[in-house]
Amino acid sequence: TQLLEQSPQFLSIQEGENLTVYCNSSSVFSSLQWYRQEPGEGPVLLVTVVTGGEVKKLKRLTFQFGDARKDSSLHITAAQPGDTGLYLCAGVQSGYSTLTFGKGTMLLVSP
Amino acid sequence: EPEVTQTPSHQVTQMGQEVILRCVPISNHLYFYWYRQILGQKVEFLVSFYNNEISEKSEIFDDQFSVERPDGSNFTLKIRSTKLEDSAMYFCASSEATPAGTGELFFGEGSRLTVL
């Protein structure tokens, strides 16, 4: 069982569509981060959420941390081909200090 | 913009050989990490390092692995006797604060290790 379950594993959409990807756990997290990773490169941090219910926006990306701090979602509005990549959520469980990653959602946006 | 740099970008080695992967973290960061990603699998935590000592390590980080900060800038990962299953992309990361304190990790571009 994965600590952080991400869904869907793979998503292929057309440019201009909206999408939401999810990161779920049965554990409580003190913080949760979203990264984007492109092939052959390291993960690049997009956002950190800390407070239950928190919503953060980064241009067309909206991140939400669940009220119970066990889950998070990433919503992309009007997706563009440049959004293509592997979206990873990573969290620190309450009482721990290690950042643990989910398996990621591979997003492909076609022109 | 400050970044984490890693060398080599790709190393091919024979099984049983020693490998050293090098990283230069961001200069004002205090926490350093190694993660690995086997092809097609998730990013896995190996070890964290703070104040010149290991602060946490995973089950993967066995006696074959060691880390060192030999000077004020480099942070190295040594694999003493490589196995086929060590083939992976190894990522170094650094942060100003511990992730438990919402410290944000900055990753290098990775070193791809291929063990033959």
Side-chain angles (χ1 to χ4, degrees):
Chain A
T1 303
Q2 298 290 325
L3 182 63
L4 285 164
E5 296 279 356
Q6 290 193 246
S7 60
Q9 288 186 331
F10 182 75
L11 188 57
S12 180
I13 61 172
Q14 295 294 120
E15 183 176 3
E17 292 184 32
N18 301 331
L19 66 114
T20 303
V21 298
Y22 300 92
C23 176
N24 294 300
S25 178
S26 57
S27 299
V28 176
F29 288 85
S30 56
S31 68
L32 202 138
Q33 301 175 1
W34 283 92
Y35 291 80
R36 193 174 91 182
Q37 184 180 24
E38 299 194 27
E41 298 184 10
V44 176
L45 180 68
L46 296 173
V47 78
T48 301
V49 286
V50 179
T51 307
E54 182 177 2
V55 176
K56 279 193 174 178
K57 294 199 174 191
L58 186 68
K59 297 184 181 176
R60 293 176 292 101
L61 279 59
T62 302
F63 303 86
Q64 184 161 11
F65 201 14
D67 291 341
R69 291 185 291 130
K70 292 182 177 182
D71 54 81
S72 181
S73 63
L74 159 60
H75 181 81
I76 301 179
T77 303
Q80 298 176 0
D83 296 327
T84 292
L86 180 67
Y87 288 83
L88 299 163
C89 70
V92 180
Q93 281 183 279
S94 294
Y96 294 83
S97 58
T98 302
L99 188 69
T100 302
F101 281 80
K103 283 189 171 182
T105 293
M106 183 64 217
L107 172 65
L108 175 63
V109 183
S110 303
Chain B
E1 187 175 317
E3 58 181 17
V4 175
T5 56
Q6 290 186 239
T7 55
S9 55
H10 189 192
Q11 180 153 358
V12 181
T13 190
Q14 295 290 326
M15 193 168 55
Q17 295 295 304
E18 177 183 282
V19 160
I20 297 176
L21 305 178
R22 292 183 168 79
C23 169
V24 179
I26 294 173
S27 61
N28 64 330
H29 285 185
L30 301 176
Y31 297 81
F32 314 115
Y33 314 85
W34 284 101
Y35 282 78
R36 80 172 185 191
Q37 188 175 32
I38 295 171
L39 188 64
Q41 298 187 25
K42 71 173 190 175
V43 178
E44 299 176 292
F45 170 75
L46 293 179
V47 65
S48 58
F49 193 87
Y50 170 71
N51 201 25
N52 283 319
E53 59 184 29
I54 291 173
S55 45
E56 284 194 63
K57 60 183 182 179
S58 71
E59 293 175 351
I60 303 168
F61 194 86
D62 62 22
D63 293 344
Q64 293 299 314
F65 291 87
S66 62
V67 289
E68 195 177 33
R69 188 157 161 83
D71 52 43
S73 59
N74 288 287
F75 178 50
T76 62
L77 174 69
K78 181 193 288 188
I79 308 175
R80 199 179 347 268
S81 176
T82 50
K83 304 187 286 285
L84 294 176
E85 54 264 39
D86 293 328
S87 294
M89 184 76 100
Y90 288 81
F91 292 107
C92 173
S94 68
S95 63
E96 270 187 287
T98 173
T102 71
E104 298 174 341
L105 271 63
F106 291 81
F107 284 81
E109 296 210 334
S111 292
R112 178 169 297 286
L113 176 64
T114 301
V115 182
L116 302 177

